[in-house]
Amino acid sequence: MTELRFSKPFTQQEPIDEATIERVGDILRGGRLHRYNTLNGETAEAALLEREYAKWQGAKYCLACSSGGYALHVALRAAGLQHGDKVLANAYTLAPVPGAIHNAGGVPVFVEIDDNWHVDIDDLRAKAADSEAKFFMLSHMRGHIADMDRICTVCDEFGLTLVEDCAHTMGAFWKGKRSGNFGRVAAFSAQTYKHINSGEGGFLTTDDADIAARAIVMSGSYMLYGSHGAAPDEEAFARVKLQTPNYSGRMDNMRAAILRGQLGVLEENVRRWNERYRVLERGLGKSGAIHLADRAQHEAFVGSSIQFRPQLSPTAFEPFIEGCASRGVDVKWFGADEPKAFTSRFDSWQYLGRLPDLPRTREVLSQTCDMRVPLTFSLDDCAVVAQIVREEVARLV
Ligand SMILES: *Cc1c(COP(=O)(O)O)cnc(C)c1O
């Protein structure tokens, strides 16, 4: 019997649609790429994007900026972080999260995760109680949304300002409320592997006028903030504009045009991601030796990646990953000693100094495997990928 193989790349995005390419072409031909370079009464593409994103997200204010990590950094500063303030953060996240905390002058206090890749709310409560942290930067890592009712209760109890990192939950809901609308401020990414793709890009959303005004000035608006698409009124700017530094990180009109085109199909793409996720989930579930996430009924997630834990001995993980790779399936494993490619484990961030050990997070990540779910895969492709993974696990259990 010939062995099943897979040949499509796991990093291939769908093409940008022709109407958007046309629009970007017009901007290039016009030569006015900067968001504040507008002629009489014209609204810049970046401002239109902010208006549309705020509406879509159901937030009062929106800033389009240079990246998700930039939005996280500015969110903390605009929410009032002072140098040396402690910031709670889940220990399983992506490197730009501790980087944003560090960049803003904060000190991360990492919180354990549980078996379903959620932040461990008991540990959150314990660390909120004894760290004097004022902020909680919650990454909805890989789209797994923890119990937001309990999280909001802990934040209220300890007076924590909740900042949501929605890099993996753009388009997701918890009990009917959009991810990003639980905290004081939220950040989103439009980097190439996220739910809308302009190569690089990010958003900050909030309902707080002062946070929005500070974030806009920080992003590099100079005194041109009046041309923003989803900004508070002049009063809010009058309070902050001379007291707020410019940390230059604007969105340009080309990227904004690329993102506007995709916002219109995001809902449909969420549906397509979830279809693919379900095929993978079903396929992996046929193996008796693969743990999948237990996803709460009230979590409407976006299945743009899938996490699983094969029940293998510690020494079997490397051959498992190699076996999958040799058959064309890219599985990322978070348990390797040497961090590879995109880093997500707290012990990769030694610049933060000596960190307390987090045995539970280490244990979960030592078995955690992750696959991207590109929209360029068909449902049949997903079934093939799942079968290969299943066979490679079966070979080693
Ligand atoms: C991608 C990502 C970010 C940062 O986004 P960039 O736009 O790449 O700066 C933050 N958090 C998580 C969990 C991410 O995956």
Side-chain angles (χ1 to χ4, degrees):
M1 204 183 79
T2 60
E3 202 182 59
L4 203 54
R5 294 184 139 270
F6 189 67
S7 57
K8 288 191 185 171
F10 277 68
T11 50
Q12 182 60 55
Q13 273 67 29
E14 296 192 286
I16 301 299
D17 69 276
E18 288 303 322
T20 300
I21 293 174
E22 195 59 32
R23 179 71 198 122
V24 173
D26 287 345
I27 294 169
L28 287 171
R29 283 185 287 272
R32 289 178 293 114
L33 278 55
H34 193 277
R35 67 171 298 160
Y36 302 126
N37 185 357
T38 50
L39 295 179
N40 2 299
E42 183 185 41
T43 306
E45 207 72 26
L48 292 171
L49 173 66
E50 287 166 338
R51 193 177 298 163
E52 290 161 7
Y53 195 77
K55 181 157 184 276
W56 187 84
Q57 176 63 27
K60 275 194 192 155
Y61 311 115
C62 171
L63 166 71
C65 61
S66 55
S67 74
Y70 181 86
L72 286 169
H73 156 234
V74 157
L76 285 172
R77 290 202 185 255
L81 180 132
Q82 300 296 310
H83 192 85
D85 281 351
K86 302 223 169 96
V87 182
L88 294 155
N90 31 322
Y92 173 45
T93 183
L94 196 72
V97 173
I101 296 169
H102 187 260
N103 194 10
V107 178
V109 176
F110 291 114
V111 180
E112 295 265 33
I113 60 165
D114 69 17
D115 288 352
N116 289 308
W117 299 283
H118 296 134
V119 69
D120 175 338
I121 299 174
D122 295 328
D123 194 45
L124 174 68
R125 175 183 291 277
K127 288 190 170 134
D130 60 38
S131 68
E132 294 176 348
K134 298 189 176 110
F135 297 86
F136 174 30
M137 183 168 270
L138 169 62
S139 287
H140 301 294
M141 188 59 181
R142 284 338 228 158
H144 301 279
I145 306 180
D147 184 332
M148 292 307 294
D149 293 338
R150 287 187 65 209
I151 286 188
C152 291
T153 302
V154 173
C155 290
D156 288 345
E157 188 180 332
F158 294 94
L160 295 170
T161 297
L162 177 61
V163 179
E164 289 182 78
D165 170 14
C166 302
H168 303 161
T169 52
M170 181 186 282
F173 293 82
W174 170 260
K175 288 192 182 165
K177 183 165 167 175
R178 262 196 206 285
S179 160
N181 294 349
F182 289 87
R184 283 282 291 289
V185 49
F188 301 82
S189 170
Q191 182 253 48
T192 221
Y193 297 116
K194 310 300 165 84
H195 300 170
I196 50 178
N197 162 28
S198 54
E200 304 286 357
F203 296 98
L204 176 154
T205 59
T206 182
D207 285 343
D208 183 306
D210 283 14
I211 290 179
R214 278 196 289 268
I216 288 168
V217 176
M218 283 175 184
S219 78
S221 70
Y222 305 91
M223 295 300 139
L224 300 161
Y225 50 77
S227 70
H228 274 246
D233 57 23
E234 177 61 34
E235 261 174 65
F237 287 101
R239 284 194 292 273
V240 309
K241 66 185 183 188
L242 305 179
Q243 309 297 330
T244 304
N246 175 328
Y247 298 124
S248 210
R250 290 171 300 269
M251 158 95 37
D252 64 85
N253 286 333
M254 280 190 305
R255 284 191 175 80
I258 294 171
L259 294 172
R260 287 184 73 209
Q262 289 169 57
L263 204 49
V265 291
L266 180 50
E267 220 62 70
E268 169 61 8
N269 284 344
V270 168
R271 193 192 59 73
R272 295 169 66 219
W273 264 306
N274 289 345
E275 238 176 13
R276 286 157 180 75
Y277 183 94
R278 293 303 183 191
V279 172
L280 283 162
E281 187 184 45
R282 256 197 315 279
L284 297 177
K286 284 185 199 157
S287 156
I290 296 178
H291 170 92
L292 288 153
D294 186 4
R295 305 202 86 151
Q297 293 290 311
H298 27 264
E299 180 194 17
F301 61 91
V302 184
S304 54
S305 69
I306 188 163
Q307 292 67 50
F308 58 95
R309 296 204 304 276
Q311 263 108 70
L312 297 173
S313 68
T315 53
F317 275 86
E318 254 169 58
F320 165 67
I321 301 296
E322 282 163 20
C324 290
S326 73
R327 298 173 67 184
V329 172
D330 285 359
V331 177
K332 181 174 174 70
W333 172 47
F334 291 104
D337 288 338
E338 266 305 301
K340 284 197 190 119
F342 295 93
T343 47
S344 289
R345 222 172 65 179
F346 63 96
D347 54 0
S348 305
W349 308 318
Q350 292 177 7
Y351 64 88
L352 294 168
R354 264 183 75 86
L355 296 170
D357 192 23
L358 296 161
R360 191 156 181 218
T361 301
R362 236 182 333 99
E363 170 72 17
V364 172
L365 293 185
S366 72
Q367 301 159 357
T368 296
C369 294
D370 176 279
M371 286 190 301
R372 296 183 195 284
V373 182
L375 292 176
T376 46
F377 288 5
S378 67
L379 299 184
D380 288 343
D381 289 339
C382 295
V384 169
V385 166
Q387 187 180 335
I388 291 174
V389 171
R390 223 164 50 223
E391 287 172 4
E392 289 303 311
V393 170
R395 211 193 279 280
L396 290 156
V397 282

